[in-house]
Amino acid sequence: MAAEIVNPRSDSGTEGAQEPFDPAFALHRGGKMAISATVPLRDKDDLSLAYTPGVAKVCTAIAEQPELVHDYTWKSQVVAVVTDGTAVLGLGDIGPEASLPVMEGKAILFKQFGGVDAVPIALATTDTDEIVETVVRLAPSFGGVNLEDISAPRCFEIERKLQERLDIPVFHDDQHGTAIVTLAALRNAAKLTGRTLGELRGVISGAGAAGVAIAKFLLEAGLGDVAVADRKGIVSRDRDDLTDVKREIAELTNKAGLTGSLETALVGADVFIGVSGGTVPEAAVASMAPNAFVFAMANPNPEVHPDVAHKYAAVVATGRSDYPNQINNVLAFPGIFAGALQVRASRITEGMKIAAANAIADVVGDQLAADCVIPSPFDERVAPAVAAAVAAAARAEGVARR
């Protein structure tokens, strides 16, 4: 007989109601992480060194030389994973408590893949200024801040304000992590088909955090042109319903001057990037240029099913782990923070992000193929390569402090 657990989501109202064993609940019971000591506490001598009176010497030294905090505490090895629970995975605005399983998951990914300690912090506010002030006040305890699952457009302002006020890396992974891994896959797809980024015209479905960041980053990296589409169609200068963020995107993108629907933009396009969760008709995919790339990254249902995409595209990628070419942020953020913390970077620059994307792409090496334009999240070469590239870029750009 299968084991049973009480399902905490049960709304039957019956005390002790049980459902068949669910491995997800079993794994999450009690949480997925804990804090452990790195020094022994075996006797009074250990205690006197780890705590009083020995700790007072270290506190006094740090008070006299604040930079010593990096050497004698965990600050330079730990990241705050901060959310307000407003844009959690595909679940949307589910609140801070319900976001914690995801934030814990993010923290263990930091540790597993990058050797970086991380602490989940779910905030009971959605006010932009309150979030900024709270993180600024928490910052002395951390070497970096990873913003996570905060809805657009507030996420842009929160990141910008924190970057202005803090001298540690602040990185919104939903934006930049997605953009970095997308660029890595796109570089290899272009290489595979004998083209350069400058020869490609792309279309992005979705003008939220990820879509905006991807558009900016790909243009920074040299993509020929890209158009971004939201629910109302192509984000273009002629529209009078755009937010400030979308107006900026309209100025930066769509050199071809396209207007109308997403389907219109896809005619003759070389690249489709989906971060919207919508559905793209097969006829629109068929209208793309020969040897096109389809990166349909919505989870769990890609904007274009891989079976459909393969009929027309030379390279197909998704956000799912059960298909080849998974665009997974875990390829980026652990190594990025590991490299930034290693050199005590004051921020993460565009050059550091470009370096991370190139490092991820280079790991593929001789394995490059239509079903392998991006390495597996479990490829142990990725995080060290990204960390080394990011650290070198930080030094080259003058933001490293050691």
Side-chain angles (χ1 to χ4, degrees):
M1 179 177 176
E4 293 182 336
I5 63 167
V6 175
N7 186 337
R9 297 188 300 184
S10 174
D11 57 1
S12 65
T14 304
E15 185 176 353
Q18 294 183 326
E19 292 185 1
F21 175 81
D22 185 325
F25 283 101
L27 183 141
H28 283 79
R29 185 172 293 280
K32 300 192 291 289
M33 58 183 294
I35 294 175
S36 61
T38 61
V39 297
L41 282 177
R42 299 161 299 196
D43 52 37
K44 65 181 182 63
D45 291 333
D46 288 342
L47 185 60
S48 68
L49 286 173
Y51 201 52
T52 185
V55 74
K57 298 177 182 178
V58 181
C59 292
T60 302
I62 294 172
E64 294 173 353
Q65 293 181 258
E67 282 303 303
L68 292 178
V69 69
H70 296 285
D71 297 312
Y72 295 110
T73 73
W74 77 340
K75 178 180 173 72
S76 63
Q77 304 168 61
V78 66
V79 171
V81 180
V82 179
T83 190
D84 63 359
T86 55
V88 182
L89 296 179
L91 304 174
D93 185 357
I94 60 175
E97 290 85 0
S99 77
L100 270 175
V102 178
M103 300 309 115
E104 288 182 4
K106 197 79 173 190
I108 65 174
L109 293 177
F110 265 109
K111 188 66 173 179
Q112 178 69 28
F113 293 103
V116 174
D117 289 307
V119 177
I121 298 176
L123 301 179
T125 178
T126 60
D127 181 87
T128 294
D129 290 333
E130 287 184 358
I131 292 172
V132 170
E133 291 299 328
T134 301
V135 175
V136 168
R137 284 164 171 74
L138 290 170
S141 295
F142 299 98
V145 175
N146 185 92
L147 300 174
E148 189 75 20
D149 292 351
I150 298 173
S151 62
R154 294 175 311 116
C155 60
F156 304 112
E157 185 178 1
I158 289 168
E159 183 187 48
R160 178 181 58 78
K161 287 184 174 181
L162 286 173
Q163 288 173 339
E164 291 172 352
R165 294 185 60 180
L166 297 177
D167 65 347
I168 57 175
V170 177
F171 184 85
H172 184 206
D173 188 51
D174 299 316
Q175 293 183 60
H176 311 300
T178 307
I180 287 165
V181 182
T182 299
L183 174 59
L186 188 57
R187 279 198 184 283
N188 276 339
K191 180 179 178 181
L192 181 68
T193 57
R195 288 176 285 178
T196 65
L197 291 181
E199 297 175 74
L200 304 176
R201 178 174 72 84
V203 177
I204 298 173
S205 174
V212 168
I214 291 169
K216 290 181 176 180
F217 193 55
L218 293 184
L219 290 174
E220 178 80 17
L223 187 70
D225 191 16
V226 63
V228 180
D230 62 11
R231 290 183 180 87
K232 297 182 179 180
I234 299 168
V235 176
S236 56
R237 297 179 185 181
D238 65 321
R239 284 177 50 179
D240 59 6
D241 61 344
L242 301 179
T243 63
D244 290 343
V245 171
K246 290 181 182 180
R247 274 195 293 272
E248 180 189 7
I249 282 296
E251 292 295 325
L252 295 173
T253 62
N254 193 20
K255 297 175 186 175
L258 301 173
T259 59
S261 66
L262 170 72
E263 290 81 359
T264 299
L266 281 175
V267 176
D270 302 291
V271 185
F272 169 76
I273 296 170
V275 283
S276 66
T279 300
V280 178
E282 181 173 347
V285 181
S287 75
M288 295 178 69
N291 290 319
F293 312 141
V294 172
F295 293 1
M297 297 186 284
N299 248 324
N301 300 312
E303 293 86 351
V304 182
H305 192 281
D307 291 344
V308 173
H310 277 296
K311 293 181 183 179
Y312 310 102
V315 176
V316 176
T318 73
R320 291 176 50 147
S321 59
D322 53 348
Y323 290 103
N325 295 327
Q326 184 189 17
I327 307 296
N328 192 325
N329 288 17
V330 78
L331 290 165
F333 68 83
I336 288 171
F337 272 98
L341 293 176
Q342 176 188 327
V343 297
R344 296 180 188 167
S346 58
R347 59 193 176 95
I348 294 173
T349 66
E350 290 300 301
M352 292 161 73
K353 291 186 284 186
I354 293 284
N358 290 341
I360 294 167
D362 289 345
V363 167
V364 173
D366 294 339
Q367 296 174 295
L368 181 61
D371 62 354
C372 185
V373 297
I374 199 78
S376 162
F378 293 97
D379 190 322
E380 295 180 355
R381 300 172 296 171
V382 174
V386 172
V390 166
R395 291 191 177 102
E397 299 202 342
V399 299
R401 288 176 286 198
R402 74 166 184 181

